[in-house]
Amino acid sequence: MNKLHTSLAALAIALFTAFPALAVEVGGVKIDDGAKVAGKDLKLNGAGVRTRALFKVYSMGVYLPKKETTVEAVLAAGGPRRITIVMLREVNSDDFGQAFMTGINANTDKAEKGKLVNQMVKLGEVFQTVGSLKKGDTLTV
């Protein structure tokens, strides 16, 4: 799922305004300045709030081994990555999954999407098992 993680990180950069890599409050949610994945320290690369119409849907933080400023650098970076999503309102998981996949499709070229088909199917299956996402729920990818 490494390619899926890189695509999700690229999507996050494309969708959100990046803030400096320190603990921030985004949409009323504290986003930590670091995380650990597979025993490796990661740094907050950016954070933001996803809105739909006028409603805040979720806050999100993107963690990488080192600060990157472009989608290309995120995709080229090696090592673990992490995305943390904290829901700001209740959303049906089908709607959330569809919107998430729409975002991936809009921000990933055809060649890259072809490489991610199996991972996107698995991610869709995860969304189907959740039911609904409630305010305060946290998703970690």
Side-chain angles (χ1 to χ4, degrees):
M1 291 200 17
N2 268 346
K3 290 188 183 214
L4 177 60
H5 290 168
T6 56
S7 289
L8 291 175
L11 173 65
I13 289 170
L15 291 177
F16 302 105
T17 304
F19 291 93
L22 47 97
V24 295
E25 187 173 309
V26 181
V29 174
K30 182 181 178 270
I31 304 292
D32 293 328
D33 62 347
K36 271 198 188 270
V37 173
K40 306 270 183 180
D41 289 323
L42 303 179
K43 296 171 179 59
L44 180 63
N45 196 71
V49 174
R50 174 70 168 135
T51 57
R52 180 80 179 190
L54 299 174
F55 301 102
K56 294 178 181 177
V57 181
Y58 56 84
S59 293
M60 181 170 160
V62 177
Y63 299 88
L64 301 171
K66 67 177 191 154
K67 180 81 172 162
E68 301 292 357
T69 58
T70 67
V71 172
E72 293 79 17
V74 170
L75 293 173
R81 295 149 177 95
R82 179 175 174 170
I83 295 175
T84 299
I85 299 169
V86 180
M87 300 305 296
L88 300 176
R89 63 182 307 109
E90 184 169 348
V91 177
N92 175 296
S93 64
D94 288 337
D95 293 340
F96 183 81
Q98 275 188 330
F100 208 82
M101 293 304 174
T102 298
I104 289 173
N105 285 326
N107 292 285
T108 309
D109 67 32
K110 188 175 181 178
E112 189 67 22
K113 279 191 282 192
K115 298 175 191 174
L116 300 174
V117 170
N118 291 336
Q119 292 91 341
M120 289 180 12
V121 168
K122 288 178 186 175
L123 188 57
E125 290 170 356
V126 169
F127 288 138
Q128 288 178 339
T129 64
V130 173
S132 71
L133 301 163
K134 302 199 179 354
K135 182 177 180 176
D137 284 352
T138 300
L139 301 171
T140 302
V141 181

Short mmCIF file of all heavy atoms in Angstrom, two decimals, residues 5-73:
data_model
loop_
_atom_site.label_atom_id
_atom_site.label_comp_id
_atom_site.label_asym_id
_atom_site.label_seq_id
_atom_site.Cartn_x
_atom_site.Cartn_y
_atom_site.Cartn_z
N HIS A 5 -0.38 5.21 -0.08
CA HIS A 5 -0.01 6.22 0.90
C HIS A 5 0.54 7.46 0.22
O HIS A 5 0.20 8.58 0.59
CB HIS A 5 1.03 5.67 1.88
CG HIS A 5 0.47 4.65 2.81
ND1 HIS A 5 1.27 3.87 3.58
CD2 HIS A 5 -0.79 4.27 3.08
CE1 HIS A 5 0.51 3.06 4.30
NE2 HIS A 5 -0.73 3.28 4.01
N THR A 6 1.40 7.26 -0.79
CA THR A 6 1.97 8.43 -1.46
C THR A 6 0.90 9.20 -2.21
O THR A 6 0.92 10.42 -2.23
CB THR A 6 3.11 8.05 -2.41
OG1 THR A 6 2.64 7.10 -3.36
CG2 THR A 6 4.29 7.48 -1.67
N SER A 7 -0.04 8.51 -2.81
CA SER A 7 -1.12 9.21 -3.52
C SER A 7 -2.01 9.96 -2.54
O SER A 7 -2.45 11.07 -2.82
CB SER A 7 -1.96 8.23 -4.33
OG SER A 7 -1.22 7.78 -5.42
N LEU A 8 -2.27 9.37 -1.37
CA LEU A 8 -3.07 10.06 -0.37
C LEU A 8 -2.33 11.29 0.15
O LEU A 8 -2.93 12.34 0.36
CB LEU A 8 -3.41 9.12 0.78
CG LEU A 8 -4.38 7.99 0.43
CD1 LEU A 8 -4.54 7.06 1.63
CD2 LEU A 8 -5.71 8.52 -0.02
N ALA A 9 -1.02 11.18 0.33
CA ALA A 9 -0.24 12.35 0.75
C ALA A 9 -0.29 13.43 -0.31
O ALA A 9 -0.44 14.61 -0.01
CB ALA A 9 1.20 11.94 1.04
N ALA A 10 -0.16 13.05 -1.57
CA ALA A 10 -0.24 14.02 -2.66
C ALA A 10 -1.62 14.67 -2.69
O ALA A 10 -1.74 15.88 -2.89
CB ALA A 10 0.07 13.35 -3.99
N LEU A 11 -2.64 13.87 -2.49
CA LEU A 11 -4.00 14.40 -2.45
C LEU A 11 -4.14 15.41 -1.32
O LEU A 11 -4.71 16.48 -1.51
CB LEU A 11 -5.00 13.26 -2.26
CG LEU A 11 -6.46 13.66 -2.02
CD1 LEU A 11 -7.02 14.37 -3.25
CD2 LEU A 11 -7.28 12.44 -1.67
N ALA A 12 -3.60 15.08 -0.18
CA ALA A 12 -3.69 15.99 0.96
C ALA A 12 -3.02 17.32 0.66
O ALA A 12 -3.56 18.37 0.99
CB ALA A 12 -3.07 15.34 2.20
N ILE A 13 -1.86 17.27 0.04
CA ILE A 13 -1.17 18.51 -0.31
C ILE A 13 -2.01 19.31 -1.30
O ILE A 13 -2.12 20.52 -1.20
CB ILE A 13 0.24 18.22 -0.87
CG1 ILE A 13 1.14 17.74 0.26
CG2 ILE A 13 0.83 19.46 -1.53
CD1 ILE A 13 2.47 17.21 -0.20
N ALA A 14 -2.62 18.63 -2.25
CA ALA A 14 -3.41 19.32 -3.26
C ALA A 14 -4.70 19.91 -2.67
O ALA A 14 -5.16 20.95 -3.11
CB ALA A 14 -3.76 18.36 -4.40
N LEU A 15 -5.27 19.26 -1.66
CA LEU A 15 -6.56 19.69 -1.12
C LEU A 15 -6.48 20.72 -0.01
O LEU A 15 -7.42 21.45 0.23
CB LEU A 15 -7.34 18.49 -0.59
CG LEU A 15 -7.84 17.49 -1.61
CD1 LEU A 15 -8.53 16.33 -0.91
CD2 LEU A 15 -8.81 18.15 -2.58
N PHE A 16 -5.36 20.76 0.69
CA PHE A 16 -5.30 21.57 1.89
C PHE A 16 -4.22 22.63 1.83
O PHE A 16 -3.19 22.45 1.23
CB PHE A 16 -5.04 20.69 3.11
CG PHE A 16 -6.09 19.64 3.29
CD1 PHE A 16 -5.81 18.33 2.98
CD2 PHE A 16 -7.36 19.96 3.72
CE1 PHE A 16 -6.78 17.36 3.12
CE2 PHE A 16 -8.32 19.00 3.85
CZ PHE A 16 -8.03 17.70 3.56
N THR A 17 -4.46 23.71 2.52
CA THR A 17 -3.45 24.74 2.71
C THR A 17 -2.47 24.20 3.74
O THR A 17 -2.86 23.81 4.82
CB THR A 17 -4.11 26.02 3.24
OG1 THR A 17 -5.13 26.42 2.33
CG2 THR A 17 -3.09 27.11 3.42
N ALA A 18 -1.21 24.20 3.42
CA ALA A 18 -0.20 23.69 4.34
C ALA A 18 0.13 24.73 5.40
O ALA A 18 0.21 25.92 5.13
CB ALA A 18 1.06 23.30 3.58
N PHE A 19 0.31 24.27 6.61
CA PHE A 19 0.72 25.11 7.72
C PHE A 19 2.15 24.71 8.09
O PHE A 19 2.60 23.63 7.73
CB PHE A 19 -0.20 24.89 8.93
CG PHE A 19 -1.58 25.43 8.72
CD1 PHE A 19 -2.58 24.62 8.23
CD2 PHE A 19 -1.86 26.75 9.01
CE1 PHE A 19 -3.85 25.12 8.02
CE2 PHE A 19 -3.14 27.25 8.81
CZ PHE A 19 -4.13 26.44 8.32
N PRO A 20 2.88 25.55 8.82
CA PRO A 20 4.22 25.17 9.24
C PRO A 20 4.19 23.86 10.02
O PRO A 20 3.21 23.54 10.66
CB PRO A 20 4.66 26.32 10.15
CG PRO A 20 3.82 27.48 9.73
CD PRO A 20 2.50 26.89 9.27
N ALA A 21 5.29 23.13 9.98
CA ALA A 21 5.36 21.80 10.60
C ALA A 21 5.54 21.92 12.11
O ALA A 21 6.62 21.70 12.64
CB ALA A 21 6.48 20.99 9.97
N LEU A 22 4.50 22.30 12.81
CA LEU A 22 4.48 22.30 14.25
C LEU A 22 3.05 22.03 14.66
O LEU A 22 2.15 22.09 13.84
CB LEU A 22 5.00 23.62 14.82
CG LEU A 22 4.46 24.90 14.20
CD1 LEU A 22 3.33 25.46 15.03
CD2 LEU A 22 5.59 25.90 14.09
N ALA A 23 2.87 21.67 15.93
CA ALA A 23 1.52 21.34 16.37
C ALA A 23 0.60 22.53 16.09
O ALA A 23 0.95 23.66 16.40
CB ALA A 23 1.52 20.99 17.85
N VAL A 24 -0.52 22.26 15.48
CA VAL A 24 -1.46 23.31 15.12
C VAL A 24 -2.87 22.89 15.51
O VAL A 24 -3.14 21.70 15.70
CB VAL A 24 -1.43 23.63 13.61
CG1 VAL A 24 -0.09 24.20 13.19
CG2 VAL A 24 -1.77 22.42 12.77
N GLU A 25 -3.74 23.86 15.60
CA GLU A 25 -5.15 23.57 15.77
C GLU A 25 -5.83 23.89 14.45
O GLU A 25 -5.70 25.00 13.92
CB GLU A 25 -5.75 24.41 16.90
CG GLU A 25 -7.18 24.00 17.19
CD GLU A 25 -7.75 24.69 18.41
OE1 GLU A 25 -7.09 24.65 19.47
OE2 GLU A 25 -8.84 25.26 18.28
N VAL A 26 -6.51 22.91 13.91
CA VAL A 26 -7.15 23.05 12.61
C VAL A 26 -8.61 22.62 12.75
O VAL A 26 -8.88 21.47 13.09
CB VAL A 26 -6.44 22.19 11.54
CG1 VAL A 26 -7.08 22.37 10.19
CG2 VAL A 26 -4.96 22.53 11.46
N GLY A 27 -9.51 23.54 12.54
CA GLY A 27 -10.93 23.22 12.67
C GLY A 27 -11.32 22.80 14.07
O GLY A 27 -12.22 22.01 14.26
N GLY A 28 -10.59 23.33 15.08
CA GLY A 28 -10.88 22.98 16.46
C GLY A 28 -10.23 21.68 16.91
O GLY A 28 -10.45 21.23 18.03
N VAL A 29 -9.40 21.07 16.06
CA VAL A 29 -8.73 19.81 16.37
C VAL A 29 -7.23 20.06 16.47
O VAL A 29 -6.64 20.67 15.59
CB VAL A 29 -8.99 18.76 15.27
CG1 VAL A 29 -8.19 17.50 15.50
CG2 VAL A 29 -10.48 18.45 15.18
N LYS A 30 -6.62 19.58 17.55
CA LYS A 30 -5.17 19.70 17.69
C LYS A 30 -4.52 18.63 16.82
O LYS A 30 -4.80 17.44 16.96
CB LYS A 30 -4.72 19.52 19.13
CG LYS A 30 -3.21 19.69 19.29
CD LYS A 30 -2.77 19.47 20.73
CE LYS A 30 -1.28 19.59 20.85
NZ LYS A 30 -0.60 18.31 20.67
N ILE A 31 -3.67 19.06 15.92
CA ILE A 31 -2.91 18.16 15.05
C ILE A 31 -1.50 18.10 15.62
O ILE A 31 -0.81 19.12 15.69
CB ILE A 31 -2.89 18.67 13.59
CG1 ILE A 31 -4.30 18.87 13.05
CG2 ILE A 31 -2.07 17.74 12.71
CD1 ILE A 31 -5.12 17.62 12.87
N ASP A 32 -1.06 16.92 16.06
CA ASP A 32 0.26 16.75 16.66
C ASP A 32 1.36 17.08 15.67
O ASP A 32 1.20 16.92 14.46
CB ASP A 32 0.44 15.32 17.17
CG ASP A 32 -0.47 15.00 18.34
OD1 ASP A 32 -0.76 15.92 19.13
OD2 ASP A 32 -0.87 13.83 18.46
N ASP A 33 2.50 17.51 16.19
CA ASP A 33 3.62 17.88 15.32
C ASP A 33 4.44 16.69 14.86
O ASP A 33 5.31 16.83 14.00
CB ASP A 33 4.51 18.92 16.00
CG ASP A 33 5.15 18.42 17.28
OD1 ASP A 33 4.73 17.36 17.80
OD2 ASP A 33 6.07 19.09 17.77
N GLY A 34 4.16 15.50 15.37
CA GLY A 34 4.89 14.32 14.95
C GLY A 34 4.09 13.05 15.17
O GLY A 34 3.06 13.06 15.86
N ALA A 35 4.56 11.97 14.57
CA ALA A 35 3.94 10.66 14.71
C ALA A 35 5.01 9.60 14.51
O ALA A 35 6.09 9.90 13.99
CB ALA A 35 2.82 10.49 13.68
N LYS A 36 4.72 8.37 14.91
CA LYS A 36 5.63 7.25 14.68
C LYS A 36 4.92 6.22 13.82
O LYS A 36 3.77 5.87 14.08
CB LYS A 36 6.03 6.60 15.99
CG LYS A 36 7.25 7.20 16.63
CD LYS A 36 7.82 6.22 17.65
CE LYS A 36 8.91 6.88 18.43
NZ LYS A 36 10.21 6.73 17.86
N VAL A 37 5.63 5.72 12.81
CA VAL A 37 5.14 4.64 11.97
C VAL A 37 6.29 3.66 11.79
O VAL A 37 7.38 4.06 11.39
CB VAL A 37 4.64 5.14 10.60
CG1 VAL A 37 4.29 3.97 9.69
CG2 VAL A 37 3.44 6.06 10.77
N ALA A 38 6.05 2.39 12.12
CA ALA A 38 7.06 1.35 11.99
C ALA A 38 8.35 1.75 12.70
O ALA A 38 9.44 1.53 12.19
CB ALA A 38 7.31 1.04 10.52
N GLY A 39 8.23 2.37 13.87
CA GLY A 39 9.37 2.77 14.66
C GLY A 39 10.11 4.00 14.14
O GLY A 39 11.14 4.38 14.70
N LYS A 40 9.61 4.63 13.10
CA LYS A 40 10.26 5.81 12.51
C LYS A 40 9.50 7.07 12.93
O LYS A 40 8.28 7.11 12.93
CB LYS A 40 10.25 5.73 10.98
CG LYS A 40 10.83 4.46 10.42
CD LYS A 40 12.29 4.61 10.18
CE LYS A 40 12.77 3.32 9.55
NZ LYS A 40 14.10 3.24 9.23
N ASP A 41 10.26 8.11 13.25
CA ASP A 41 9.67 9.40 13.58
C ASP A 41 9.28 10.14 12.31
O ASP A 41 10.07 10.22 11.37
CB ASP A 41 10.67 10.26 14.37
CG ASP A 41 10.89 9.74 15.78
OD1 ASP A 41 9.91 9.26 16.39
OD2 ASP A 41 12.03 9.81 16.26
N LEU A 42 8.06 10.64 12.29
CA LEU A 42 7.57 11.44 11.17
C LEU A 42 7.26 12.84 11.66
O LEU A 42 6.92 13.04 12.82
CB LEU A 42 6.31 10.81 10.57
CG LEU A 42 6.43 9.36 10.08
CD1 LEU A 42 5.09 8.88 9.55
CD2 LEU A 42 7.51 9.23 9.04
N LYS A 43 7.33 13.80 10.74
CA LYS A 43 7.06 15.20 11.06
C LYS A 43 5.77 15.64 10.35
O LYS A 43 5.50 15.20 9.24
CB LYS A 43 8.22 16.08 10.57
CG LYS A 43 9.54 15.80 11.25
CD LYS A 43 10.65 16.56 10.55
CE LYS A 43 11.99 16.35 11.18
NZ LYS A 43 12.46 15.01 11.24
N LEU A 44 5.05 16.51 11.01
CA LEU A 44 3.86 17.09 10.38
C LEU A 44 4.31 17.89 9.18
O LEU A 44 5.11 18.81 9.28
CB LEU A 44 3.11 17.98 11.37
CG LEU A 44 1.85 18.65 10.83
CD1 LEU A 44 0.80 17.62 10.44
CD2 LEU A 44 1.29 19.62 11.86
N ASN A 45 3.82 17.51 8.02
CA ASN A 45 4.20 18.19 6.78
C ASN A 45 3.18 19.27 6.41
O ASN A 45 3.51 20.27 5.82
CB ASN A 45 4.32 17.19 5.63
CG ASN A 45 5.07 17.75 4.45
OD1 ASN A 45 6.27 17.94 4.50
ND2 ASN A 45 4.34 18.04 3.38
N GLY A 46 1.94 19.05 6.76
CA GLY A 46 0.89 20.02 6.48
C GLY A 46 -0.41 19.59 7.12
O GLY A 46 -0.57 18.44 7.50
N ALA A 47 -1.32 20.53 7.28
CA ALA A 47 -2.60 20.24 7.89
C ALA A 47 -3.64 21.19 7.31
O ALA A 47 -3.29 22.27 6.83
CB ALA A 47 -2.53 20.40 9.41
N GLY A 48 -4.88 20.78 7.36
CA GLY A 48 -5.93 21.64 6.85
C GLY A 48 -7.30 21.09 7.17
O GLY A 48 -7.44 20.03 7.76
N VAL A 49 -8.30 21.83 6.76
CA VAL A 49 -9.69 21.45 6.95
C VAL A 49 -10.33 21.26 5.59
O VAL A 49 -10.18 22.11 4.70
CB VAL A 49 -10.47 22.54 7.73
CG1 VAL A 49 -11.96 22.20 7.81
CG2 VAL A 49 -9.90 22.72 9.12
N ARG A 50 -11.04 20.17 5.41
CA ARG A 50 -11.79 19.91 4.19
C ARG A 50 -13.20 20.42 4.41
O ARG A 50 -13.86 20.07 5.38
CB ARG A 50 -11.80 18.41 3.89
CG ARG A 50 -12.67 18.02 2.73
CD ARG A 50 -12.06 18.50 1.43
NE ARG A 50 -12.75 17.88 0.32
CZ ARG A 50 -13.14 18.54 -0.75
NH1 ARG A 50 -12.90 19.82 -0.87
NH2 ARG A 50 -13.74 17.92 -1.73
N THR A 51 -13.64 21.29 3.51
CA THR A 51 -15.01 21.78 3.59
C THR A 51 -15.79 21.30 2.37
O THR A 51 -15.23 21.06 1.31
CB THR A 51 -15.06 23.32 3.65
OG1 THR A 51 -14.40 23.84 2.50
CG2 THR A 51 -14.39 23.84 4.90
N ARG A 52 -17.06 21.15 2.57
CA ARG A 52 -17.98 20.79 1.49
C ARG A 52 -19.12 21.78 1.59
O ARG A 52 -19.76 21.86 2.63
CB ARG A 52 -18.45 19.35 1.70
CG ARG A 52 -19.39 18.83 0.68
CD ARG A 52 -18.63 18.41 -0.54
NE ARG A 52 -19.61 17.89 -1.49
CZ ARG A 52 -19.29 17.27 -2.56
NH1 ARG A 52 -18.03 17.07 -2.85
NH2 ARG A 52 -20.20 16.85 -3.38
N ALA A 53 -19.34 22.52 0.52
CA ALA A 53 -20.27 23.65 0.56
C ALA A 53 -19.75 24.60 1.64
O ALA A 53 -18.62 25.03 1.54
CB ALA A 53 -21.70 23.20 0.78
N LEU A 54 -20.50 24.86 2.66
CA LEU A 54 -20.04 25.74 3.74
C LEU A 54 -19.70 24.97 5.01
O LEU A 54 -19.37 25.56 6.02
CB LEU A 54 -21.10 26.79 4.06
CG LEU A 54 -21.47 27.73 2.92
CD1 LEU A 54 -22.63 28.63 3.32
CD2 LEU A 54 -20.27 28.55 2.49
N PHE A 55 -19.78 23.64 4.96
CA PHE A 55 -19.61 22.82 6.15
C PHE A 55 -18.20 22.26 6.26
O PHE A 55 -17.64 21.76 5.30
CB PHE A 55 -20.61 21.65 6.12
CG PHE A 55 -22.04 22.10 6.06
CD1 PHE A 55 -22.74 22.04 4.86
CD2 PHE A 55 -22.67 22.59 7.19
CE1 PHE A 55 -24.05 22.46 4.79
CE2 PHE A 55 -23.99 23.00 7.13
CZ PHE A 55 -24.69 22.94 5.93
N LYS A 56 -17.65 22.35 7.47
CA LYS A 56 -16.36 21.71 7.75
C LYS A 56 -16.62 20.22 7.91
O LYS A 56 -17.45 19.82 8.73
CB LYS A 56 -15.75 22.28 9.02
CG LYS A 56 -15.36 23.74 8.90
CD LYS A 56 -14.81 24.27 10.20
CE LYS A 56 -14.46 25.73 10.07
NZ LYS A 56 -13.99 26.30 11.34
N VAL A 57 -15.90 19.40 7.13
CA VAL A 57 -16.13 17.95 7.15
C VAL A 57 -15.09 17.24 8.00
O VAL A 57 -15.44 16.40 8.83
CB VAL A 57 -16.15 17.38 5.72
CG1 VAL A 57 -16.40 15.88 5.73
CG2 VAL A 57 -17.19 18.09 4.87
N TYR A 58 -13.81 17.52 7.78
CA TYR A 58 -12.78 16.91 8.60
C TYR A 58 -11.52 17.74 8.61
O TYR A 58 -11.27 18.55 7.73
CB TYR A 58 -12.45 15.47 8.17
CG TYR A 58 -12.03 15.29 6.72
CD1 TYR A 58 -10.71 15.50 6.32
CD2 TYR A 58 -12.95 14.87 5.77
CE1 TYR A 58 -10.32 15.30 5.01
CE2 TYR A 58 -12.57 14.68 4.45
CZ TYR A 58 -11.26 14.89 4.08
OH TYR A 58 -10.87 14.70 2.78
N SER A 59 -10.73 17.54 9.69
CA SER A 59 -9.38 18.09 9.79
C SER A 59 -8.42 16.96 9.44
O SER A 59 -8.70 15.80 9.71
CB SER A 59 -9.08 18.58 11.21
OG SER A 59 -9.88 19.69 11.52
N MET A 60 -7.28 17.33 8.86
CA MET A 60 -6.36 16.30 8.41
C MET A 60 -4.92 16.77 8.60
O MET A 60 -4.61 17.94 8.39
CB MET A 60 -6.62 16.03 6.93
CG MET A 60 -5.78 14.98 6.33
SD MET A 60 -6.47 14.63 4.68
CE MET A 60 -5.08 13.87 3.92
N GLY A 61 -4.06 15.84 8.99
CA GLY A 61 -2.63 16.09 9.08
C GLY A 61 -1.89 15.07 8.24
O GLY A 61 -2.26 13.90 8.21
N VAL A 62 -0.84 15.52 7.56
CA VAL A 62 -0.01 14.65 6.73
C VAL A 62 1.38 14.60 7.36
O VAL A 62 1.99 15.64 7.62
CB VAL A 62 0.10 15.20 5.28
CG1 VAL A 62 1.03 14.32 4.45
CG2 VAL A 62 -1.27 15.29 4.65
N TYR A 63 1.86 13.38 7.60
CA TYR A 63 3.16 13.17 8.23
C TYR A 63 4.11 12.46 7.28
O TYR A 63 3.74 11.48 6.64
CB TYR A 63 2.99 12.33 9.50
CG TYR A 63 2.11 12.98 10.53
CD1 TYR A 63 0.73 12.79 10.52
CD2 TYR A 63 2.66 13.80 11.51
CE1 TYR A 63 -0.08 13.41 11.46
CE2 TYR A 63 1.85 14.42 12.46
CZ TYR A 63 0.49 14.21 12.43
OH TYR A 63 -0.31 14.83 13.35
N LEU A 64 5.34 12.99 7.20
CA LEU A 64 6.38 12.43 6.34
C LEU A 64 7.69 12.38 7.13
O LEU A 64 7.85 13.09 8.12
CB LEU A 64 6.57 13.31 5.10
CG LEU A 64 5.35 13.51 4.20
CD1 LEU A 64 5.65 14.57 3.15
CD2 LEU A 64 4.96 12.20 3.54
N PRO A 65 8.67 11.60 6.64
CA PRO A 65 9.97 11.57 7.33
C PRO A 65 10.65 12.94 7.38
O PRO A 65 11.34 13.25 8.35
CB PRO A 65 10.80 10.59 6.49
CG PRO A 65 9.79 9.71 5.83
CD PRO A 65 8.61 10.61 5.57
N LYS A 66 10.46 13.76 6.34
CA LYS A 66 11.00 15.12 6.35
C LYS A 66 10.05 16.03 5.59
O LYS A 66 9.23 15.58 4.80
CB LYS A 66 12.41 15.17 5.75
CG LYS A 66 12.47 14.88 4.28
CD LYS A 66 13.90 15.04 3.76
CE LYS A 66 13.86 14.99 2.24
NZ LYS A 66 14.93 15.68 1.63
N LYS A 67 10.16 17.31 5.85
CA LYS A 67 9.28 18.30 5.23
C LYS A 67 9.46 18.31 3.72
O LYS A 67 10.57 18.37 3.21
CB LYS A 67 9.61 19.68 5.81
CG LYS A 67 8.77 20.81 5.26
CD LYS A 67 7.45 20.90 5.92
CE LYS A 67 6.74 22.17 5.46
NZ LYS A 67 5.35 22.13 5.70
N GLU A 68 8.35 18.21 3.00
CA GLU A 68 8.35 18.31 1.53
C GLU A 68 7.37 19.40 1.15
O GLU A 68 6.39 19.64 1.84
CB GLU A 68 7.93 16.98 0.89
CG GLU A 68 8.82 15.80 1.23
CD GLU A 68 10.23 15.88 0.66
OE1 GLU A 68 10.55 16.84 -0.07
OE2 GLU A 68 11.03 14.99 0.98
N THR A 69 7.61 20.06 0.00
CA THR A 69 6.76 21.18 -0.38
C THR A 69 6.04 20.99 -1.71
O THR A 69 5.24 21.83 -2.08
CB THR A 69 7.58 22.48 -0.45
OG1 THR A 69 8.65 22.30 -1.38
CG2 THR A 69 8.14 22.85 0.92
N THR A 70 6.33 19.89 -2.43
CA THR A 70 5.66 19.67 -3.70
C THR A 70 5.11 18.25 -3.77
O THR A 70 5.60 17.35 -3.08
CB THR A 70 6.63 19.86 -4.90
OG1 THR A 70 7.62 18.82 -4.86
CG2 THR A 70 7.29 21.24 -4.87
N VAL A 71 4.09 18.07 -4.59
CA VAL A 71 3.52 16.74 -4.80
C VAL A 71 4.60 15.79 -5.31
O VAL A 71 4.70 14.64 -4.86
CB VAL A 71 2.32 16.80 -5.78
CG1 VAL A 71 1.86 15.41 -6.15
CG2 VAL A 71 1.18 17.61 -5.16
N GLU A 72 5.43 16.26 -6.23
CA GLU A 72 6.47 15.41 -6.80
C GLU A 72 7.43 14.92 -5.71
O GLU A 72 7.83 13.75 -5.71
CB GLU A 72 7.25 16.17 -7.88
CG GLU A 72 6.44 16.48 -9.11
CD GLU A 72 5.52 17.70 -8.95
OE1 GLU A 72 5.70 18.51 -8.01
OE2 GLU A 72 4.59 17.83 -9.77
N ALA A 73 7.80 15.79 -4.79
CA ALA A 73 8.72 15.41 -3.71
C ALA A 73 8.06 14.40 -2.77
O ALA A 73 8.70 13.46 -2.30
CB ALA A 73 9.17 16.64 -2.94
#
